[in-house]
Amino acid sequence: MSHTLLVTFIVAVALISVVPGPDMMYIVANALVGGRRSGVVSALGMSTGLAAHTVAAAFGLGMLIQAAPLVLEAIRVVGALFLIYLAVMTWRASRGRGPAIEVESRPRPLSRVYGMAVLTNLANPKVILFYLAFLPQFLTKGEGSWPATVQFLVLGGLFILVGLVVDASVGTLAGSMSERMLRREGFRRWLERVSAGVFGGLAIRLAMDAAR
């Protein structure tokens, strides 16, 4: 894997990670009620779920790709369609979705916060589909390339690391920020439109790679 590809991957992951989604809303909600510790624990729980997704993708999908290289091309086509769907839905949400942060009146125990974060991530089918759509486009083939399983683990590890830094930072900041600041429509809509652009760009790249 080239350094340029890894840098491109990290930049894309960073842009996607800063866009508010269900995972981030969960982290923010807990941080607003339980403070910075609760926010960081929520972020750790989400990262644990992503680690499970990474291992499943690496040892299941990675071995399948090695046995049947055409599977990667099929995944890229399906992934492009899914990313287009995400881009459209994210753009639509940026134009009309209202505030959706709901918090409980009393802080949850940290063990429950962690467990619920893991389950929330694992039970989200969009996370699984996103992994299958996003990671394969950064895999390299040919002589000298790492095994697909190793590439999945490396990319998944970077995805988790960047996501954890972003989520933990959000959880830390949210503990001392007001709910009104976090609900600013203009800021959230701007981030959602950036996310839609990222999804759309990735979809185009997947489609072009599959056509080669």
Side-chain angles (χ1 to χ4, degrees):
M1 298 181 71
S2 67
H3 291 89
T4 302
L5 188 65
L6 288 176
V7 170
T8 302
F9 176 78
I10 292 173
V11 171
V13 168
L15 288 173
I16 292 170
S17 296
V18 299
V19 177
D23 288 0
M24 188 176 289
M25 292 300 99
Y26 178 88
I27 293 169
V28 169
N30 280 285
L32 289 174
V33 175
R36 286 176 288 184
R37 289 181 62 188
S38 185
V40 172
V41 169
S42 298
L44 290 172
M46 295 298 175
S47 294
T48 301
L50 289 176
H53 286 303
T54 298
V55 173
F59 289 97
L61 191 60
M63 289 187 291
L64 180 60
I65 288 173
Q66 285 185 320
L70 288 179
V71 171
L72 179 59
E73 305 309 318
I75 290 172
R76 281 177 169 157
V77 172
V78 175
L81 295 175
F82 179 68
L83 287 168
I84 290 173
Y85 166 78
L86 286 180
V88 172
M89 296 305 293
T90 303
W91 183 264
R92 290 181 60 186
S94 74
R95 299 182 65 183
R97 192 181 67 188
I101 300 176
E102 295 182 1
V103 298
E104 297 181 3
S105 58
R106 298 177 60 185
R108 298 173 180 175
L110 292 180
S111 59
R112 185 184 172 194
V113 170
Y114 176 82
M116 288 298 295
V118 175
L119 291 176
T120 297
N121 187 273
L122 289 177
N124 187 355
K126 287 187 177 180
V127 176
I128 301 172
L129 292 173
F130 183 77
Y131 251 61
L132 297 182
F134 186 70
L135 295 188
Q137 70 172 300
F138 291 95
L139 298 181
T140 58
K141 298 181 295 183
E143 186 177 354
S145 298
W146 297 350
T149 299
V150 175
Q151 293 187 61
F152 263 110
L153 291 174
V154 172
L155 294 175
L158 289 173
F159 192 103
I160 293 168
L161 180 60
V162 174
L164 179 59
V165 171
V166 172
D167 288 345
S169 297
V170 169
T172 300
L173 292 173
S176 58
M177 293 176 65
S178 68
E179 185 173 346
R180 180 176 299 177
M181 289 289 291
L182 293 172
R183 285 184 172 180
R184 282 187 176 177
E185 280 294 306
F187 184 66
R188 189 180 67 203
R189 288 178 178 177
W190 181 81
L191 286 178
E192 286 174 337
R193 289 174 183 179
V194 170
S195 177
V198 172
F199 291 145
L202 292 175
I204 292 172
R205 175 174 174 177
L206 272 174
M208 292 178 63
D209 287 345
R212 291 176 182 175

